[in-house]
Amino acid sequence: MSSTSSTAARAFAPSGSDDVTEPERSDDGPGLAAALEAILMVVDVPVAEVTLAQVLERPTHEVAAALRTLAAEYTAAGRGFDLRQVAGGWRYYTRPDCAPLVERFVRDGQQTRLTQAALETLAVVAYRQPVSRARVAAVRGVNSDGVMRTLVARGLVEEAGTDPESQAVLYRTSSYFLERLGLKDIGELPELAPFLPDDVENLEETTK
C-alpha cells in the first residue's frame, strides 16, 4: 500500500482509533490525497483529471494515480461511498448496496410537511415565475431567503437565469414540483382569482 493510500485510509478512520496518525502535509498545505478529497467532496458533476491537476498544480499522471489509489482504498475499506471515474471525470457516489438506505432517507425527508412560510413562498414562485427573491419578499412582506434555500434544497424550486435589468437570480418551480402536484405544466395550476382580496389591484401596485 502506498503512502498516499495509507493517508487516505487514515483520514476516514474513526476518531480515537489506535491506527490513526496525522495526515501527511507539506509546508504549503494538505497532501495530494487530502486536497483531492476536499475538492471532490463539494462537486456535483464529475471533474476531469486534467482540471484537478491544473487546480492543484500537480502532474496529471500523479493526480490520476492518486485518484485510483483513493478509489481502491475506499473499496477495500468497505466505505458507504465510491470514488468513480464516469463521463470523463471523477466524483463520489453512494455505494450500490447502500442506495436503498439513502433512498429511504431522502424519501422520508421529502415527506416532511412544508411550513406555512414555505407554502406561501412556493405559491408566490409558482404564480409569479420566473421571480427574484426580492420580488418574493415584496409580495410576502418578509425576507424569504432562508425559505427559498429550503425549497431549492428540496428540489421544488430551481434557478431560471437572471433578470436582464437588475441581474438578480430568478427562480421557477421545478419538474419535481409538477410531479408532486400531479400537473403536466404550470398552466394547470388552479385559478388564483377566487382567492385574491377585492383590492387586488391596489395590492398589485404596492408590490411592484
Side-chain angles (χ1 to χ4, degrees):
M1 184 181 296
S2 68
S3 60
T4 301
S5 60
S6 296
T7 299
R10 290 194 297 269
F12 284 89
S15 176
S17 172
D18 293 337
D19 296 331
V20 176
T21 59
E22 289 297 322
E24 295 178 3
R25 296 174 61 93
S26 69
D27 293 338
D28 297 327
L32 179 56
L36 289 170
E37 290 172 336
I39 293 173
L40 293 175
M41 193 67 69
V42 299
V43 302
D44 54 8
V45 294
V47 183
E49 293 170 359
V50 64
T51 300
L52 293 168
Q54 290 172 347
V55 171
L56 299 176
E57 299 181 341
R58 302 289 286 269
T60 302
H61 69 86
E62 191 176 310
V63 169
L67 288 166
R68 287 172 173 75
T69 299
L70 283 172
E73 277 295 330
Y74 298 149
T75 299
R79 298 295 176 185
F81 56 88
D82 283 323
L83 178 56
R84 302 179 199 165
Q85 185 177 25
V86 293
W90 291 80
R91 184 187 174 192
Y92 285 115
Y93 290 88
T94 300
R95 195 170 295 279
D97 56 358
C98 294
L101 299 175
V102 176
E103 292 172 359
R104 185 191 310 166
F105 172 79
V106 173
R107 184 172 60 249
D108 290 348
Q110 290 174 340
Q111 289 176 348
T112 303
R113 287 190 176 186
L114 293 174
T115 63
Q116 183 64 33
L119 289 172
E120 291 176 1
T121 301
L122 186 57
V124 174
V125 174
Y127 285 95
R128 298 282 189 174
Q129 60 185 309
V131 62
S132 67
R133 291 187 182 187
R135 179 66 169 157
V136 173
V139 173
R140 292 191 62 228
V142 63
N143 185 293
S144 302
D145 288 356
V147 180
M148 285 289 285
R149 284 193 293 270
T150 297
L151 294 175
V152 171
R154 291 202 178 188
L156 295 169
V157 170
E158 62 188 12
E159 292 187 7
T162 58
D163 185 281
E165 296 182 2
S166 66
Q167 297 303 307
V169 176
L170 299 176
Y171 295 88
R172 66 188 174 199
T173 51
S174 64
S175 57
Y176 177 67
F177 166 83
L178 296 175
E179 177 187 337
R180 296 296 292 176
L181 267 68
L183 306 175
K184 293 181 180 179
D185 53 54
I186 59 173
E188 292 189 345
L189 285 170
E191 290 293 330
L192 191 59
F195 304 98
L196 294 175
D198 294 334
D199 59 346
V200 64
E201 293 185 1
N202 294 332
L203 176 64
E204 181 75 17
E205 290 300 320
T206 60
T207 58
K208 288 184 178 179

